Amino acid sequence: MKQRPDASMDLLREVRSQALDQGYQEYQDRHPASRKRRPIGVASVVILLVTGVLIGIAWRSTAARAPLDARERKNLVSHVQSAQAHESAQHGELAKLRASVDAMKAAASTPIDDKAGQDSAMIPMTGPGVKVVLNDTDAAPEDELGDADLRKLVNALWQSGAEAVAINGHRIGPRTAIRSAGSAITVDYVSLSQPYIIEVIGSPQTIPAKLADTSGGRWMAYLRDNSSITYTVATMDRVSVPGSKASVSHASPHR
């Protein structure tokens, strides 16, 4: 038998005509509807819509929250800065208090200045000045005045320009002893009674202000403001102080 010229193409035609698996082809022949794309169900559409709505709500909530978060951050930063400023101010106040305490300690450790010498302290003097009154009669026992308080005040008066000082009529010189004897304060071992009246010869125009600016003056003001101690400073046109007697001991500021 004569072979067809295109016999070699038979295999190719067979493969093309039977490309599908035989079983799959039979299933397709029995269920022609499966060849069509199945439409998306209603449930799928609902799920997609709900998902879209939730995404939109989340986005709007985030967008609305952003300004509030910014305000909260701003308020927090403001509170932190305010706290830092307050802390800085407290440190400054603490430094001032420490400096004041150091100045008081220095004043307490400085003996009464020998301004004119012991000989001049023995000469009575009269002139303008100030009168300081101290009284702790109404103070609590723990707030009562001591010899160290009077020494601080006398030192402050010398620093303020006093030319002569007397306490309850007792002239204070560079070697005058101001001590405590039991519950009493003594000047050259003579007990003083309340009130303590300190008469000072010096400029009445300048001494009060200078006194208030010394550590001793600030200490007296502190006692006046924080306990029942009387502390007054009055200017006088005429003050008389007696001459001192020969003293036997130095007026040390230590108790």
Side-chain angles (χ1 to χ4, degrees):
M1 173 183 284
K2 187 177 180 178
Q3 188 175 10
R4 291 175 52 184
D6 60 348
S8 61
M9 301 296 291
D10 290 343
L11 180 58
L12 182 58
R13 283 193 296 269
E14 182 178 354
V15 171
R16 187 174 64 180
S17 62
Q18 299 182 5
L20 295 177
D21 180 79
Q22 186 66 32
Y24 181 75
Q25 182 65 47
E26 291 177 357
Y27 176 81
Q28 292 289 328
D29 292 340
R30 289 195 302 270
H31 303 85
S34 64
R35 300 177 184 178
K36 300 179 181 180
R37 177 180 292 179
R38 297 181 64 183
I40 298 176
V42 174
S44 299
V45 174
V46 171
I47 291 174
L48 291 174
L49 289 175
V50 170
T51 301
V53 170
L54 292 177
I55 292 174
I57 292 174
W59 178 84
R60 292 190 62 181
S61 177
T62 301
R65 180 68 185 175
L68 183 58
D69 290 341
R71 288 195 298 270
E72 289 179 349
R73 284 194 296 270
K74 185 176 180 181
N75 290 337
L76 181 59
V77 170
S78 177
H79 285 313
V80 171
Q81 291 175 341
S82 177
Q84 290 175 339
H86 180 71
E87 182 182 5
S88 178
Q90 290 295 315
H91 282 301
E93 186 65 22
L94 179 60
K96 291 180 181 178
L97 290 175
R98 284 176 175 171
S100 179
V101 171
D102 291 340
M104 290 179 183
K105 289 180 179 179
S109 62
T110 303
I112 295 176
D113 185 23
D114 185 358
K115 289 184 64 67
Q118 182 65 22
D119 291 340
S120 63
M122 297 178 66
I123 302 173
M125 294 181 64
T126 299
V130 299
K131 181 170 72 173
V132 181
V133 177
L134 288 174
N135 196 336
D136 64 0
T137 303
D138 297 329
E142 62 272 15
D143 293 332
E144 290 179 354
L145 295 168
D147 57 333
D149 299 316
L150 283 185
R151 286 196 298 271
K152 287 179 183 179
L153 178 58
V154 171
N155 282 329
L157 288 167
W158 290 132
Q159 295 170 18
S160 302
E163 299 175 15
V165 178
I167 302 177
N168 287 18
H170 298 276
R171 182 74 173 269
I172 305 299
R175 296 195 302 180
T176 302
I178 301 176
R179 301 285 189 180
S180 287
S183 59
I185 298 176
T186 66
V187 173
D188 279 344
Y189 307 104
V190 177
S191 297
L192 304 179
S193 58
Q194 299 274 3
Y196 305 118
I197 299 175
I198 300 94
E199 295 171 299
V200 181
I201 292 178
S203 172
Q205 289 78 28
T206 61
I207 287 180
K210 289 182 177 180
L211 175 62
D213 197 39
T214 63
S215 60
R218 288 191 294 268
W219 177 246
M220 290 297 111
Y222 173 83
L223 294 178
R224 177 195 62 203
D225 297 339
N226 293 275
S227 61
S228 298
I229 290 176
T230 299
Y231 169 63
T232 61
V233 179
T235 60
M236 306 288 291
D237 294 331
R238 182 180 176 85
V239 176
S240 296
V241 296
S244 66
K245 299 178 181 180
S247 299
V248 296
S249 61
H250 193 278
S252 171
H254 301 289
R255 290 182 181 271

